[in-house]
Amino acid sequence: MSLDALASRIRRELAMIAHPSLAWLEPRRAPDGSNALDVLIAGAGQGGIATAFALKRQRVDNVLVVDRAAYGREGPWVTYARMPTLRSPKEYTGPDLDIPALTYQAWHEAKYGAAHWQSLGLIAPADWNEYLLFVRAVTDVPVRNEAELVELAPEAGLIRATLASAAGRETVYARKVVLATGQDGTGRWWMPDFVAALPRAFRAHTADSIDFTGLKGKVIAVLGAGASAFDNAATALEAGAAEVHVFCRRPAPQVIQPYRQITFRGFLKHLSDLDDAWRWRFMRHVLALREGFPQATWDRCAAHANFTLHTGAPWTAARVEGARAVVVTPRGDFVADFLICCTGIAMDYAAKPELARFAGNIRNWADAYAPPADERDHRLAAFPYLAADYSFMEKQAGATPWIKDIHLFAIAATMSFGPSGSSINAMTTAVPKLVDGITRGLFAGDVERHWAALKAYDVPQAIVPGSRAD
Ligand SMILES: Cc1cc2nc3c(=O)[nH]c(=O)nc-3n(C[C@H](O)[C@H](O)[C@H](O)COP(=O)(O)OP(=O)(O)OC[C@H]3O[C@@H](n4cnc5c(N)ncnc54)[C@H](O)[C@@H]3O)c2cc1C
């Protein structure tokens, strides 16, 4: 089956399961006279696209997705994901939302043939990216690329969103906003202050664009021992670096992938139904372990004799000496030409322009729950404490009540819901839950109109001679 034939099949199948297809939302008039969107989604990565698709299936039609990235460059897949294959098993479904013809497997078989799928080990990031673009096209999700959401504010019972693009700034209004803004959706990529203080020529974060060809013949030091640290180390080795050294704080790198253990429907669907103590206990365990890397990630580095792993060796300071960078570790100083930090995200609402107006009033886990002493975690306490519909809650009630219409579907939802936003393996359970929350709010917000419409409904199903309509 060709991709065109697959697209036709998907459209046909979606039409077959469209019931109930009656339109149920009416446009709200915005203060500038335009029709407000039902939902504005920031982020056209897999999370934003799947959410828009799920909303359309619920007949929430007036949806717009915006992404600051250019078409085809959304998310990490063809930019800073420096790995030959995805790490998740090829069978994990996600953006298809349980529609077989829309799965990655169906796309792969249409593009490369069923035999190729059988022999495939793991999915190439470029293929995953192309598949996401296919899903977006075949489900008719409307996306505006190169448009960045830079401000959210309340106005006339709606959310006023400011978009910035090459054409300038523009205002759109929406009843609800979904932030599907990825790994750094509620914070910023972080590296130790003493590394950030070095001139840019000496350091980068893994999320930065890095010119690896310029690292040929150089000594590279990588901080962190997650999968991305090894991906970046391998990319430097393959680009001809003289030596690559990965520095890991722990006595041994993390090789267990706790997400595998919790990838079952009961957990993915119902963790968020548990009380705070259980939610915290489970997710603190998972997130404190961090993600383990697979064998292939290690082998890619270990294949090079000029690769070294330093365990129990955090960096405690750094400086520039001559034309080189020196990092200080408990095992002595190390001299390198270039430093790459794979040190994750720091939660920092105020750093995000779209959150800036209400950053100080976002309720987080520290506001909501005090764990037992042996379960405390300062980093995770800064995660947002989300409502059941993934919306932000207020720290101080009444100060920014409008944030109940801003829903977060990014990695920071993980403490509240378990794997959810920014997680392929949880999409088939998390997206419907998010969308249920949104449609619940939209329906409840229109309840007077629905009541009036029902009372006014006077369409006869049959004409019975001699009978009176009343
Ligand atoms: C390097 C890397 C490798 C990964 N590999 C795997 C893997 O192998 N398997 C797996 O299951 N998971 C993997 N993940 C985790 C997860 O699947 C990805 O992070 C995935 O991209 C999450 O999808 P998303 O839609 O939430 O975010 P993203 O794909 O990051 O999309 C977010 C989008 O939001 C846009 N955006 C952000 N802010 C704004 C704004 N203000 N206005 C407009 N647009 C905005 C961005 O441009 C981006 O396109 C990986 C993550 C990373 C970082």
Side-chain angles (χ1 to χ4, degrees):
M1 182 187 288
S2 68
L3 283 173
D4 282 347
L6 179 64
S8 303
R9 179 174 144 198
I10 292 165
R11 291 200 170 96
R12 178 174 144 79
E13 288 185 358
L14 290 177
M16 289 164 86
I17 54 171
H19 172 76
S21 61
L22 197 65
W24 60 280
L25 286 153
E26 282 183 2
R28 287 268 177 100
R29 188 67 73 186
D32 64 356
S34 66
N35 282 340
L37 295 162
D38 295 326
V39 185
L40 171 70
I41 301 175
Q46 60 195 26
I49 295 300
T51 301
F53 165 49
L55 283 167
K56 288 190 71 176
R57 289 206 56 216
Q58 302 306 317
R59 289 304 314 260
V60 181
D61 300 318
N62 190 12
V63 173
L64 175 66
V65 187
V66 295
D67 200 297
R68 63 185 174 205
Y71 174 83
R73 298 187 64 79
E74 304 85 357
W77 311 114
V78 295
T79 51
Y80 64 95
R82 300 184 178 105
M83 56 216 194
T85 62
L86 264 61
R87 295 186 267 273
S88 38
K90 66 179 181 180
E91 294 83 9
Y92 278 15
T93 54
D96 51 277
L97 302 180
D98 286 338
I99 311 257
L102 205 52
T103 54
Y104 178 82
Q105 180 177 349
W107 179 86
H108 192 99
E109 289 181 351
K111 176 145 189 192
Y112 298 112
H116 194 275
W117 167 257
Q118 287 303 328
S119 62
L120 181 72
L122 293 165
I123 299 169
D127 279 337
W128 183 253
N129 198 51
E130 203 179 321
Y131 160 68
L132 292 176
L133 294 172
F134 173 80
V135 170
R136 156 178 166 179
V138 78
T139 56
D140 294 321
V141 166
V143 181
R144 263 179 64 189
N145 280 99
E146 298 177 62
E148 180 171 11
L149 174 67
V150 291
E151 190 181 14
L152 293 170
E155 190 174 337
L158 297 166
I159 306 288
R160 188 184 72 225
T162 307
L163 305 180
S165 68
R169 292 201 166 213
E170 177 192 343
T171 301
V172 296
Y173 292 86
R175 292 181 66 180
K176 288 194 168 281
V177 173
V178 175
L179 299 175
T181 39
Q183 301 280 328
D184 59 334
T186 44
R188 59 192 158 76
W189 297 104
W190 177 87
M191 62 176 76
D193 290 346
F194 52 80
V195 181
L198 302 182
R200 280 186 177 273
F202 291 98
R203 47 86 180 164
H205 194 285
T206 50
D208 292 334
S209 155
I210 301 173
D211 173 19
F212 281 90
T213 54
L215 302 184
K216 190 170 178 188
K218 303 272 173 66
V219 175
I220 314 302
V222 179
L223 178 61
S228 286
F230 291 99
D231 289 336
N232 279 267
T235 307
L237 288 160
E238 289 160 8
E243 293 172 31
V244 176
H245 298 256
V246 171
F247 291 80
C248 162
R249 179 170 44 91
R250 299 166 194 239
Q254 165 73 17
V255 290
I256 292 164
Q257 172 56 294
Y259 280 96
R260 289 289 169 88
Q261 204 281 332
I262 56 175
T263 298
F264 58 94
R265 290 213 182 234
F267 192 95
L268 299 177
K269 281 181 80 168
H270 299 302
L271 176 83
S272 57
D273 300 332
L274 299 179
D275 63 20
D276 287 352
W278 274 117
R279 288 197 286 168
W280 177 270
R281 186 167 300 147
F282 274 113
M283 290 323 295
R284 178 190 158 273
H285 181 82
V286 171
L287 293 173
L289 277 178
R290 306 278 175 105
E291 290 196 47
F293 55 83
Q295 187 66 47
T297 304
W298 170 257
D299 292 346
R300 194 177 158 209
C301 290
H304 298 263
N306 49 345
F307 165 72
T308 310
L309 173 66
H310 303 255
T311 53
W315 295 354
T316 54
R319 61 184 185 275
V320 171
E321 261 180 33
R324 307 193 79 192
V326 181
V327 290
V328 179
T329 85
R331 296 171 176 232
D333 290 2
F334 185 84
V335 182
D337 297 302
F338 195 70
L339 312 178
I340 301 178
C341 291
C342 175
T343 34
I345 305 286
M347 204 59 70
D348 185 355
Y349 306 135
K352 308 298 292 181
E354 65 270 34
L355 305 182
R357 261 190 182 249
F358 55 97
N361 201 37
I362 296 175
R363 185 171 170 81
N364 56 31
W365 272 84
D367 300 316
Y369 177 63
D374 61 340
E375 289 184 11
R376 280 188 201 138
D377 188 312
H378 182 65
R379 181 176 71 93
L380 302 177
F383 273 55
Y385 184 90
L386 300 173
D389 62 357
Y390 289 75
S391 63
F392 286 114
M393 297 179 78
E394 292 182 280
K395 211 184 258 293
Q396 187 199 329
T400 56
W402 49 283
I403 65 176
K404 71 174 183 358
D405 289 319
I406 302 175
H407 305 255
L408 181 70
F409 200 61
I411 194 83
T414 305
M415 278 309 290
S416 298
F417 290 90
S420 48
S422 289
S423 182
I424 294 174
N425 64 341
M427 258 182 188
T428 52
T429 50
V431 173
K433 191 179 293 197
L434 165 71
V435 166
D436 276 0
I438 293 172
T439 53
R440 187 163 57 242
L442 291 171
F443 175 73
D446 287 344
V447 68
E448 301 278 359
R449 179 172 66 76
H450 293 307
W451 175 233
L454 178 60
K455 283 194 297 178
Y457 185 70
D458 62 356
V459 181
Q461 291 245 91
I463 299 167
V464 180
S467 75
R468 289 164 47 114
D470 56 349

